[in-house]
Amino acid sequence: MRVWFLSAGLALMCMAQNAAAGTVLIVGDSISAAFGLDTRQGWVSLLEQRLKAEGFDDKVVNASISGDTSAGGQARLPALLAAHKPDLVILELGGNDGLRGQPPTQLQQNLAAMIDSARASGAKVLLLGMQLPPNYGRRYTEAFSRVYSTLAEEKKVPLVPFFLKDIGGVPAMMQADGLHPSVAAQDKLLENVWPTLKPLL
């Protein structure tokens, strides 16, 4: 009888852990797709390792595509939400919008629509902010950066103000193209995200 109770207890513990396990969906561009690297070296892979090391059972789905824009992400999101039913959606988009000089107002509308769609599906949202190099002009770079802080305030979503903090513009942290984080930067990318991400799990 004692063995039965122990077995039943273990079974209930496993069921509880499985019930608590969720899905984290990352919708991003080349930074999260680990452009130029082995995907196993990217920050998303490191996130999976961190989750396991800290006892989280969450599944990570990386739906990031190099070159994607906020418009592309918005178009892809409904199918991703239906297929994966995530508990948390991490939005890492906008860099390509900025590099192509697209209107910040359009970026804001696209990201707002993605936040609303994710929440309507029952998911929490984490927004990863981006900034542009100063050569794009002060007026444009400031308007671009404000998109993320404005959305975070209006939509009441957690925000990592600058995903590439201490990485962008640092030669040792960037690949030869000057646009994509190097292998050395991947740990830092995760560290930039983790303090805001962990409480959402």
Side-chain angles (χ1 to χ4, degrees), residues 3 18 21 23 29 33 51 73 80 86 106 128-129 132 136 152 175 189:
V3 173
N18 290 335
T23 297
D29 52 33
L51 290 172
L80 292 169
Q106 186 61 57
L128 305 188
L132 294 175
Y136 278 78
Q175 296 182 41
L189 286 172

Side-chain angles (χ1 to χ4, degrees), residues 74 77 107-118 151 155:
Q74 183 186 359
L77 186 59
L107 169 62
Q108 185 167 331
Q109 290 171 12
N110 293 339
L111 290 175
M114 294 182 76
I115 292 170
D116 291 342
S117 294
L151 281 173
K155 298 292 184 179

Side-chain angles (χ1 to χ4, degrees), residues 1-104:
M1 183 65 73
R2 183 179 180 184
V3 173
W4 184 89
F5 278 121
L6 287 173
S7 298
L10 288 171
L12 288 171
M13 286 176 63
C14 290
M15 288 173 63
Q17 288 177 350
N18 290 335
T23 297
V24 178
L25 173 66
I26 301 174
V27 185
D29 52 33
S30 56
I31 298 175
S32 295
F35 177 86
L37 309 174
D38 184 322
T39 54
R40 292 171 296 183
Q41 299 174 313
W43 82 270
V44 176
S45 181
L46 298 180
L47 171 61
E48 292 179 290
Q49 296 172 34
R50 173 71 65 85
L51 290 172
K52 291 179 182 177
E54 298 211 8
F56 292 99
D57 294 322
D58 298 77
K59 174 185 177 183
V60 177
V61 176
N62 190 0
S64 302
I65 298 178
S66 293
D68 205 8
T69 62
S70 62
Q74 183 186 359
R76 295 191 294 119
L77 186 59
L80 292 169
L81 293 174
H84 302 290
K85 297 177 174 54
D87 301 274
L88 172 63
V89 176
I90 299 177
L91 299 179
E92 182 272 300
L93 287 167
N96 290 311
D97 297 61
L99 294 176
R100 297 174 187 181
Q102 296 180 2

Side-chain angles (χ1 to χ4, degrees), residues 31 43 163-164 167 181 185-193:
I31 298 175
W43 82 270
F163 184 34
L164 296 182
I167 296 170
Q186 301 305 309
D187 280 319
K188 181 59 181 172
L189 286 172
L190 177 57
E191 292 307 320
N192 286 346
V193 174

Side-chain angles (χ1 to χ4, degrees), residues 180-201:
H180 297 96
S182 65
V183 172
Q186 301 305 309
D187 280 319
K188 181 59 181 172
L189 286 172
L190 177 57
E191 292 307 320
N192 286 346
V193 174
W194 184 248
T196 310
L197 168 60
K198 186 177 180 179
L200 301 175
L201 298 171

